[in-house]
């Protein structure tokens, strides 16, 4: 009886193993089929469901979880601007859109949007918008990036761990489901940076380790796409530290994985091809977007942000314990305070164990450890400004940079576990786990009390939270310290469980965007834009993100989010340039009507403009979107001003929460 039970268990284990082997063998085919299915059903993780709060008349597309109102950068700016492209009055998915009629806004670089342009060849995750429309394009944007991110980091893990699948899955889970990444999944190109960087390293490994064959040409083209696509993310605060994180991997590949036995002179061709395509792409970008680049660099924000030389990021270094309790301490600061759960300083301790105790002088481990320690020194202590500028680290601020450092730490501890063959005694592992886990706990507690940037919040408001989180981290550290080559299943399960529990709930599961596509208010705006594509719109007496509502229907709206400074946009309101410092920036724009035109800087990226009757006429505002009582408020407060100026507001449409008014002059 016992033998039969044992045989059944062995058969089940054998069947399970065979199943995993089949998934591994056909992983690319299965991933592609999964992507097709998800896009067909319009599945995404977008928080566009928040628009139901503003419009009130659409259906809800949320199928699981809840939309995150704090991610307004995604649902309030990026996705609405991408949706605008389908209804672009200059032609669907034109690279440019109208602003105040004659002014063109370049949609390629800052908050890049899908467009029929040669540079979009380097943005494959936007192709879905061009071929499938807005809803399925959004699904393609979310799902393709998630699937490719998981696959690329799994393959990178296979390279780092010398083919150890469990550790590779762990690395992929830790990266793909990092709380920091999930909160910032759609914004500022972080996902693309991680994909392009991983694929470039993998491509480099193939080029230096295989004899010349036609596949190398395809790999070279893909690497060039990664190189230009990386630049197109155009967010130096993350581009620079992420790139430095890949430097040890790239050096290891091109120096220590170089196979002289199979490489010939002809193998220089793929590298030349990479150079030519990358140079051509960047030249096209520089020539066609120079005005945008110049405007961004000369802006008050973000272009004029003070350069950094490090030394102010101590409290940001290991605050990842906060992410373990964020589900129970939700607030608007959780996005900025999220982290990559990298289990530091376990990676450094494991690396030192392998190098010193086991006497393994592994080049990759040493490179990763060196880069980790250098960047930690930069963030905590600082370096001379001249050196920071040479290394481009002057673009990196004290909070965003240390958060990204977590990806480098993950590669460090995964490489260390892959090489580790011995384990310390249990009592020593327990002692080391308890002591070393106290370091991130102390920094997380310190962050909640001493962080000087206004992002403080008491996440650990009870002793129970401190004890439970410390215990969880200590247990995972113990499993990592006890792990050794081919005997790390429990460590893998522990790490993956902690990461998934901290992040899998962050973004919702949405089917389509019926909040927009089935909204009667949005349909009314689309109809008016179709009838009068040159009309200029205004959103009055409503704050961001409501200011981007007309843009989603393709309307030319005065106070759509200004993604980069456009001085000509403001010339009619500020002919002398007296208020240039106010609008020379990336900004959201709230508008209202009054007796006198005024511009006011509310915050770093928020401008308020008041329009007088004369300037309302001068701008030729044709339609106004506002609350249902807008005309009553105008009549009650400033009847004589607008009536005497010959301006009448006619209500064209009244929705559940918003109305559309026509301006008659």
């Amino acid at each position: 009886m016992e033998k039969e039970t044992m045989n059944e268990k062995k058969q089940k284990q054998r069947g399970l193993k065979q199943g995993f082997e089949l998934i591994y063998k056909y992983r690319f085919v299965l991933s592609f089929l999964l992507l097709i299915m998800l896009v067909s059903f319009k599945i995404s993780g977008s928080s566009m469901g928040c628009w139901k709060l503003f419009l009130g008349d659409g259906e809800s597309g949320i199928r699981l979880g809840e939309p995150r109102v704090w991610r307004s950068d995604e649902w309030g700016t990026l996705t609405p601007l991408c949706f605008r492209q389908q209804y672009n009055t200059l032609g669907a998915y034109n690279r440019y859109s109208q602003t105040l009629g004659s002014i063109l806004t370049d949609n390629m670089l800052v908050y890049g949007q899908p467009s029929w342009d040669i540079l979009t060849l380097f943005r494959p995750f936007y192709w879905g918008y061009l071929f499938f429309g807005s809803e399925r394009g959004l699904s393609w944007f979310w799902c393709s990036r998630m699937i490719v991110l998981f696959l690329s980091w799994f393959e990178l893990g296979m390279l780092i761990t010398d083919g150890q699948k469990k550790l590779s899955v762990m690395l992929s889970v830790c990266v793909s489901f990092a709380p920091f990444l999930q909160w910032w999944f759609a914004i500022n190109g972080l996902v693309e940076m991680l994909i392009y960087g991983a694929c470039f390293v993998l491509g480099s490994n193939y080029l230096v380790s295989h004899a010349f064959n036609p596949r190398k040409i395809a790999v070279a083209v893909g690497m060039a796409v990664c190189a230009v696509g990386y630049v197109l993310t155009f967010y130096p605060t993350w581009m620079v530290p992420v790139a430095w994180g890949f430097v040890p991997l790239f050096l290891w590949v091109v120096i220590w994985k170089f196979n002289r036995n199979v490489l010939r002179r002809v193998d220089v061709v793929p590298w030349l091809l990479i150079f030519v395509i990358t140079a051509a792409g960047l030249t096209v970008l520089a020539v066609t977007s120079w005005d945008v680049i110049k405007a961004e660099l000369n802006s008050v924000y973000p272009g004029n942000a003070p350069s950094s030389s490090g030394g102010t990021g101590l409290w940001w270094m290991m605050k990842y314990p906060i992410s373990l309790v964020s589900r129970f301490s939700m607030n608007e600061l959780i996005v900025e305070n999220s982290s990559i759960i990298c289990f530091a300083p376990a990676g450094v301790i494991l690396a030192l164990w392998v190098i010193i105790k086991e006497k393994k002088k592994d080049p990759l481990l040493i490179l990763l450890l060196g880069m980790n320690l250098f960047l930690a020194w930069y963030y905590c202590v600082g370096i001379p400004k001249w050196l920071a500028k040479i290394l481009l680290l002057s673009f990196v601020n004290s909070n965003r940079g240390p958060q990204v450092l977590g990806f480098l730490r993950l590669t460090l501890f995964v490489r260390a576990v892959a090489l580790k063959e011995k384990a310390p005694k249990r009592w020593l592992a327990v002692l080391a786990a308890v002591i070393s886990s106290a370091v991130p706990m102390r920094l997380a507690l310190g962050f909640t009390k001493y962080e000087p940037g206004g992002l403080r919040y008491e996440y650990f408001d009870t002793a129970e939270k401190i004890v439970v989180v410390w215990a969880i981290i200590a247990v995972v550290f113990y499993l990592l310290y006890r792990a050794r080559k081919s005997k790390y299943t429990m460590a893998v399960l522990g790490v993956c469980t902690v990461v998934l529990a901290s992040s899998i709930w962050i973004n919702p599961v949405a089917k389509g965007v019926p909040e927009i596509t089935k909204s009667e208010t949005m349909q009314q705006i689309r109809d008016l834009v179709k009838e009068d594509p040159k009309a200029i719109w205004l959103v009055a007496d409503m704050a961001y993100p409501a200011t981007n509502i007309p843009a989603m229907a393709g309307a030319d709206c005065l106070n759509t989010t200004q993604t980069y400074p456009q001085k000509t946009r403001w010339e009619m309101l500020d002919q002398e340039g007296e208020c240039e410092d106010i609008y020379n920036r990336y900004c959201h724009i709230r508008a209202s009507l009054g007796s006198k035109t005024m511009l006011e800087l509310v915050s770093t990226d928020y401008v308020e403009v008041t329009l007088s009757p004369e300037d309302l006429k001068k701008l030729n505002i044709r339609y106004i979107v506002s609350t249902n009582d807008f005309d009553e408020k105008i009549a009650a407060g400033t009847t004589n001003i607008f009536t005497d100026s010959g301006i009448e507001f006619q209500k064209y449409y009244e929705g559940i929460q918003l109305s559309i008014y026509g301006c008659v002059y």
Side-chain angles (χ1 to χ4, degrees), residues 59 70 162 209 222 245 253-254 279 319 365 374 388 421 440 526 665:
E59 300 176 9
W70 302 315
D162 300 320
S209 60
V253 163
V254 298
K319 62 179 178 62
L365 193 63
F374 167 71
E421 293 182 344
R526 283 192 290 269
Y665 302 110

Side-chain angles (χ1 to χ4, degrees), residues 222-257:
M223 290 172 67
V225 169
C226 291
V228 179
Y230 195 97
V231 175
L232 283 172
T233 58
F234 204 62
Y235 194 69
T237 297
W238 285 342
M239 289 169 64
V240 173
V242 170
W244 279 114
F246 282 113
V247 166
L249 295 168
F250 180 75
L251 292 176
W252 173 62
V253 163
V254 298
I255 297 175
W256 282 276
K257 303 283 282 185

Side-chain angles (χ1 to χ4, degrees), residues 283-441:
T283 300
V284 171
L285 173 64
V287 171
T288 60
S289 298
W290 181 245
D291 289 341
V292 178
I293 296 171
K294 188 166 61 174
E296 190 77 357
L297 293 176
N298 293 326
S299 65
V300 176
Y301 171 80
N304 200 30
S307 60
S308 172
S309 58
T312 57
L314 173 64
W315 298 116
W316 292 81
M317 291 300 293
M318 297 182 203
K319 62 179 178 62
Y320 62 84
I322 290 174
S323 291
L324 273 65
V325 295
S326 60
R327 183 71 180 90
F328 311 102
S329 305
M330 297 290 284
N331 65 89
E332 67 277 8
L333 297 177
I334 194 58
V335 179
E336 291 286 351
N337 294 341
S338 59
S339 299
I340 298 153
I341 301 178
C342 57
F343 302 101
V348 172
I349 294 172
L350 289 168
L352 293 175
W353 172 276
V354 171
I355 294 171
I356 298 172
K357 179 69 176 177
E358 299 189 11
K359 295 181 171 54
K360 292 183 178 180
K361 303 301 184 283
D362 178 66
L364 177 57
L365 193 63
I366 293 170
L367 286 170
L368 290 171
L369 180 60
M371 184 60 71
N372 196 313
L373 294 176
F374 167 71
L375 290 177
W377 178 273
Y378 168 75
Y379 291 129
C380 294
V381 180
I383 59 176
K385 277 195 174 182
W386 62 266
L387 181 58
K389 289 181 178 180
I390 292 174
L391 300 177
L392 302 181
L393 289 170
S394 56
F395 289 106
V396 183
N397 59 30
S398 62
N399 56 340
R400 297 287 170 84
Q403 290 172 310
V404 175
L405 180 59
F407 295 110
L408 173 61
R409 290 170 173 163
L410 287 172
T411 57
L412 174 67
F413 103 72
V414 167
R415 179 66 176 179
V417 173
L419 294 172
K420 188 166 172 280
E421 293 182 344
K422 300 176 183 177
K425 293 180 180 180
R426 286 188 174 86
W427 70 267
L428 183 58
V430 169
L431 182 62
V434 172
I435 295 174
S436 58
S437 61
V439 176
M441 281 303 303

Side-chain angles (χ1 to χ4, degrees), residues 493-509:
L493 291 175
V495 166
C496 291
T497 299
V498 170
V499 172
L500 290 172
S502 302
S503 67
I504 201 167
W505 49 268
I506 290 175
N507 289 307
V509 175

Side-chain angles (χ1 to χ4, degrees), residues 537-568:
W537 292 62
L538 180 76
V539 177
D541 292 346
M542 297 184 70
Y544 168 83
T547 50
N548 287 331
I549 287 174
M552 282 190 282
D556 175 359
C557 184
L558 171 68
N559 54 332
T560 298
T561 295
Q562 179 176 259
T563 54
Y564 64 91
Q566 294 172 292
K567 296 178 184 178
T568 51

Side-chain angles (χ1 to χ4, degrees), residues 27-39:
R27 60 193 181 281
F28 297 114
V29 174
L30 292 173
S31 298
F32 182 67
L33 293 175
L34 176 63
L35 177 60
I36 291 175
M37 182 184 71
L38 292 172
V39 173

Side-chain angles (χ1 to χ4, degrees), residues 4 22 37 46 63 136 166 174 234 286 357 370 383 395 422 447 450 453 472 481 567 571 609 618 637 642 657:
E4 291 179 2
L22 282 173
M37 182 184 71
S46 172
R63 295 293 179 266
R136 287 192 172 88
K166 290 179 183 177
C174 287
F234 204 62
K357 179 69 176 177
I383 59 176
F395 289 106
K422 300 176 183 177
F447 178 86
Y450 307 121
I472 291 172
Y481 295 152
K567 296 178 184 178
E571 282 179 350
V609 56
K618 190 189 299 183
F642 287 92
Q657 292 181 207

Side-chain angles (χ1 to χ4, degrees), residues 7-208:
N7 289 333
E8 287 179 4
K9 286 183 178 179
K10 287 182 179 179
Q11 287 178 352
K12 287 181 179 178
Q13 289 175 352
R14 195 179 299 116
L16 192 62
K17 186 176 180 180
Q18 290 174 347
F20 285 134
E21 288 297 329
L22 282 173
I23 292 173
Y24 173 74
K25 183 178 180 180
Y26 297 105
R27 60 193 181 281
F28 297 114
V29 174
L30 292 173
S31 298
F32 182 67
L33 293 175
L34 176 63
L35 177 60
I36 291 175
M37 182 184 71
L38 292 172
V39 173
S40 298
F41 286 100
K42 307 177 185 177
I43 302 299
S44 77
S46 172
S47 290
M48 286 288 280
C50 291
W51 283 111
K52 190 171 175 60
L53 301 173
F54 293 86
L55 299 170
D57 55 359
E59 300 176 9
S60 174
I62 303 299
R63 295 293 179 266
L64 191 64
E66 57 184 287
R68 299 299 175 187
V69 67
W70 302 315
R71 295 313 303 124
S72 58
D73 282 355
E74 182 266 319
W75 64 268
T77 304
L78 177 64
T79 306
L81 294 181
C82 288
F83 274 43
R84 173 180 66 179
Q85 288 294 82
Q86 183 173 347
Y87 306 102
N88 193 325
T89 53
L90 298 178
Y93 299 105
N94 195 301
R95 173 169 174 168
Y96 301 93
S97 57
Q98 290 185 136
T99 304
L100 298 185
S102 61
I103 304 170
L104 296 181
T105 296
D106 190 337
N107 299 316
M108 177 54 62
L109 201 54
V110 186
Y111 268 92
Q113 295 135 54
S115 59
W116 289 108
D117 188 88
I118 191 170
L119 288 174
T120 307
L121 290 172
F122 302 98
R123 277 184 165 153
F125 302 114
Y126 277 138
W127 295 353
Y129 282 103
L130 304 179
F131 294 107
F132 309 134
S134 293
E135 286 190 289
R136 287 192 172 88
L138 179 63
S139 177
W140 174 275
F141 177 75
W142 275 83
C143 298
S144 64
R145 288 157 74 248
M146 187 65 193
I147 291 172
V148 176
L149 177 68
F150 192 92
L151 283 175
S152 61
W153 275 80
F154 172 79
E155 298 299 328
L156 187 64
M158 292 290 282
L159 179 64
I160 293 172
T161 65
D162 300 320
Q164 299 182 56
K165 297 184 182 70
K166 290 179 183 177
L167 288 179
S168 301
V169 170
M170 181 181 73
L171 176 63
S172 188
V173 167
C174 287
V175 172
S176 304
F177 292 95
F180 179 71
L181 191 72
Q182 287 298 310
W183 280 113
W184 292 92
F185 195 79
I187 299 300
N188 295 338
L190 181 57
V191 173
E192 286 87 340
M193 294 176 204
L194 294 171
I195 290 173
Y196 296 148
C199 289
F200 197 90
V201 170
L202 292 168
S204 300
N205 179 63
Y206 185 84
L207 293 186
V208 301

